[in-house]
Amino acid sequence: MIIVNLDVMLAKRKMSLTELSEAVGLTLANLSVLKTGKARAIRFSTLDAICKALDCQPGDILEYREGESNG
């Protein structure tokens, strides 16, 4: 299962979801879906923009955990 740690990175960078939304040009609703782990996919261009805005690596946002299901 892929875990999305976007909330962790936002807290580390002291940035709100609204600020990230403005920085990457995505709607708050789309980022919220990603943040809550309900997204089924993410475009590389979106991941690139998020990593650029948060000054992080993709592995800081996405984590793989074996043996868990997608609920």
Side-chain angles (χ1 to χ4, degrees):
M1 168 176 198
I2 302 296
I3 305 297
V4 180
N5 293 315
L6 186 57
D7 53 346
V8 174
M9 286 309 301
L10 285 168
K12 284 183 179 180
R13 300 298 189 251
K14 296 182 170 125
M15 183 183 282
S16 71
L17 198 61
T18 301
E19 291 170 320
L20 181 62
S21 170
E22 292 169 358
V24 300
L26 290 173
T27 66
L28 197 54
N30 284 340
L31 278 178
S32 183
V33 168
L34 181 61
K35 181 181 162 212
T36 59
K38 294 179 181 172
R40 302 295 293 166
I42 183 171
R43 293 176 188 250
F44 282 138
S45 58
T46 300
L47 186 58
D48 180 65
I50 291 171
C51 287
K52 198 173 294 182
L54 294 175
D55 188 28
C56 67
Q57 295 295 313
D60 295 328
I61 298 171
L62 302 175
E63 174 186 351
Y64 173 73
R65 291 190 191 159
E66 190 171 350
E68 297 185 26
S69 68
N70 283 336

